[in-house]
Amino acid sequence: MSRALFTKLHHHHDDHLRRRTFVAAKVKWVRDPYLDTAVEKEKNLKPLLSLTNLILSQPSKTLPIAIAAAHKHRLHLPITASKLFQKYPSIFQQFQPTKPLSLPHVKLTQQALTVHREETQVLNSLSYRTSAAVRLAKLLMLTKTKKLPLTVIEKFKFDLGLPHNFILALLPDFPEYFQICTMDCMDSNGEETFGLELVSWRDDLKVSVMEKRAIEGGRSRMPIGFSMNFPRGFDLEKRVRLWVDEWQRLPYISPYEDAFHLPPNGDQAEKWTVAVLHELLNLCVGKKTEKENICCLGDYLGFGTRFRKALVHHPGIFYVSNKIRTQTVVLREAYKRDFLVEKNLLMGIRYRYIHLMNKRASKRVTPRKPIPVRG
């Protein structure tokens, strides 16, 4: 879309913007119990999987409990390692080695090992590795420079479904996509910052989820509007509802285009900002991520407070949950009640871990057939 058309659109809404009818109206936050449940299901899952990977990285596949305790802050454990082991007896098994003077150790239960083997099967499959590489490449394509600091990517690693050691386990297999680079800036310790760069622009990946749906539905030339739904008890003020209806009819600008030349407070710029957020959440395997991650990326990309404002302005598209000790941004359309609409192999594995987390220790272990890997 040309700059001239953007300018025309902005002037068309100039009077509306001066009235600031939407910004002046108060959009209340209403709790969505279903999406809160979807978030709360995964409480402690991320640190638990980090601890699992640490245990399995040892040659003996066991770990002294004292060593696990020393990693509490690095792994962001919500409680002490020992209490975490006791809390999830269907995943962790504490034991005393027979060797004299040995410290108490921990290992995974047979049930957890079974799930881990299936997880490894999924993560090592070519189809899954390719899809993970595509998600990472599209994340880089959302930036102006097509590169991001590794510290920023680390924040999204879990939500993108990347292997925990993706630098060594994934990147070398896709040299046509990625290369390590310097970011031409120093970190807080005065050391050089490294990042990940897209080797070249990928035209085959620049179609957003919204554009793909429009094309498949034969609506590619019509204004593309975002799906909206609200929890029970939510009601937009009439003037806000009218603003949203008009805003939905504005042209859709791809998140892979650079539209920073638009007036930042304009309606068209806000629709582009929402498009970027919408695509970002669609890159996440669970269609959600912590608000802190989004704000960190937004600051790096140059959106400033625009991401934060968009989350407040459009509660029918995004939901911000206050569960599990943080704020989590959820893409509403991706969920039916508290269940993901789109099936995903990795999320299926994670739900298996969650099932074990909610299960008491069992003496009998019923073998389960490995799930087939289809992509």
Side-chain angles (χ1 to χ4, degrees):
M1 185 176 291
S2 67
R3 185 188 297 259
L5 180 53
F6 282 142
T7 304
K8 181 179 179 181
L9 285 167
H10 173 63
H11 288 162
H12 174 72
H13 291 278
D14 195 46
D15 291 338
H16 170 77
L17 292 174
R18 276 200 296 269
R19 291 197 303 270
R20 300 179 67 83
T21 54
F22 180 72
V23 178
K26 183 177 180 180
V27 180
K28 64 178 180 177
W29 178 87
V30 175
R31 179 174 178 266
D32 189 318
Y34 291 118
L35 295 183
D36 277 344
T37 299
V39 170
E40 203 162 20
K41 282 179 183 178
E42 298 184 28
K43 181 180 180 180
N44 296 339
L45 177 63
K46 186 176 178 180
L48 181 142
L49 292 180
S50 297
L51 193 50
T52 297
N53 288 325
L54 176 63
I55 294 171
L56 294 176
S57 68
Q58 309 303 308
S60 65
K61 310 303 179 187
T62 70
L63 189 70
I65 293 177
I67 299 297
H71 287 271
K72 180 179 185 296
H73 295 294
R74 184 176 73 82
L75 300 179
H76 305 289
L77 304 184
I79 52 180
T80 65
S82 181
K83 288 182 178 179
L84 198 70
F85 299 148
Q86 295 171 16
K87 186 176 178 67
Y88 302 116
S90 289
I91 295 180
F92 301 110
Q93 181 179 342
Q94 301 179 71
F95 68 100
Q96 182 68 47
T98 56
K99 187 177 179 180
L101 303 179
S102 293
L103 296 172
H105 277 54
V106 63
K107 62 182 180 180
L108 297 189
T109 65
Q110 285 302 314
Q111 293 168 296
L113 285 172
T114 297
V115 178
H116 173 75
R117 282 192 292 269
E118 295 181 14
E119 179 185 24
T120 301
Q121 182 186 14
V122 169
L123 292 175
N124 288 342
S125 68
L126 178 60
S127 58
Y128 183 84
R129 292 168 67 79
T130 301
S131 66
V134 166
R135 287 193 294 274
L136 182 54
K138 289 172 79 75
L139 176 67
L140 296 176
M141 289 173 65
L142 292 177
T143 72
K144 284 183 181 179
T145 58
K146 312 303 175 286
K147 59 183 179 181
L148 281 171
L150 289 173
T151 52
V152 175
I153 296 175
E154 279 287 333
K155 290 180 177 294
F156 286 94
K157 178 177 68 176
F158 180 81
D159 296 315
L160 288 175
L162 303 180
H164 75 279
N165 57 341
F166 73 97
I167 294 178
L168 297 177
L170 182 70
L171 301 187
D173 290 343
F174 296 91
E176 71 279 19
Y177 279 14
F178 312 112
Q179 63 184 12
I180 301 295
C181 64
T182 58
M183 298 302 298
D184 300 321
C185 61
M186 301 295 179
D187 62 17
S188 57
N189 297 320
E191 298 179 354
E192 192 171 30
T193 299
F194 289 93
L196 187 64
E197 183 176 19
L198 194 67
V199 172
S200 60
W201 181 260
R202 311 282 305 196
D203 279 335
D204 56 323
L205 302 182
K206 70 177 182 180
V207 179
S208 70
V209 168
M210 291 289 290
E211 290 171 312
K212 184 179 179 181
R213 289 177 188 163
I215 293 170
E216 291 174 349
R219 298 179 289 107
S220 57
R221 295 188 178 182
M222 297 173 61
I224 301 175
F226 296 93
S227 173
M228 289 191 177
N229 56 80
F230 301 95
R232 182 177 298 178
F234 188 95
D235 186 30
L236 287 174
E237 291 185 27
K238 182 179 179 181
R239 54 179 173 166
V240 177
R241 191 166 59 251
L242 292 174
W243 180 91
V244 170
D245 290 342
E246 183 179 356
W247 177 84
Q248 286 273 44
R249 289 192 291 271
L250 290 174
Y252 173 87
I253 306 170
S254 170
Y256 299 107
E257 291 185 34
D258 183 356
F260 275 112
H261 57 276
L262 287 168
N265 293 323
D267 290 355
Q268 186 68 68
E270 178 148 323
K271 186 161 186 180
W272 176 61
T273 300
V274 170
V276 175
L277 281 171
H278 184 275
E279 186 73 0
L280 173 63
L281 288 171
N282 265 294
L283 295 179
C284 299
V285 293
K287 311 306 178 189
K288 62 185 181 303
T289 190
E290 289 185 22
K291 183 179 178 181
E292 178 186 338
N293 297 343
I294 286 178
C295 293
C296 175
L297 180 64
D299 290 341
Y300 180 81
L301 297 183
F303 281 91
T305 61
R306 288 161 64 176
F307 274 4
R308 296 174 178 85
K309 289 180 179 178
L311 295 177
V312 173
H313 289 177
H314 301 281
I317 304 174
F318 311 111
Y319 176 66
V320 181
S321 173
N322 295 317
K323 294 295 182 178
I324 63 172
R325 305 177 300 274
T326 186
Q327 288 188 309
T328 304
V329 179
V330 185
L331 185 62
R332 281 191 179 276
E333 68 181 40
Y335 284 81
K336 183 175 182 180
R337 293 178 176 260
D338 56 325
F339 296 100
L340 263 176
V341 174
E342 180 183 326
K343 304 302 180 184
N344 179 283
L345 276 176
L346 185 60
M347 287 305 297
I349 293 292
R350 289 179 179 177
Y351 290 144
R352 294 274 305 283
Y353 278 114
I354 292 170
H355 174 71
L356 289 182
M357 291 167 70
N358 295 327
K359 185 179 179 182
R360 293 185 177 182
S362 176
K363 293 182 180 180
R364 289 187 61 188
V365 179
T366 303
R368 179 164 178 165
K369 295 181 180 180
I371 60 174
V373 176
R374 299 187 182 91

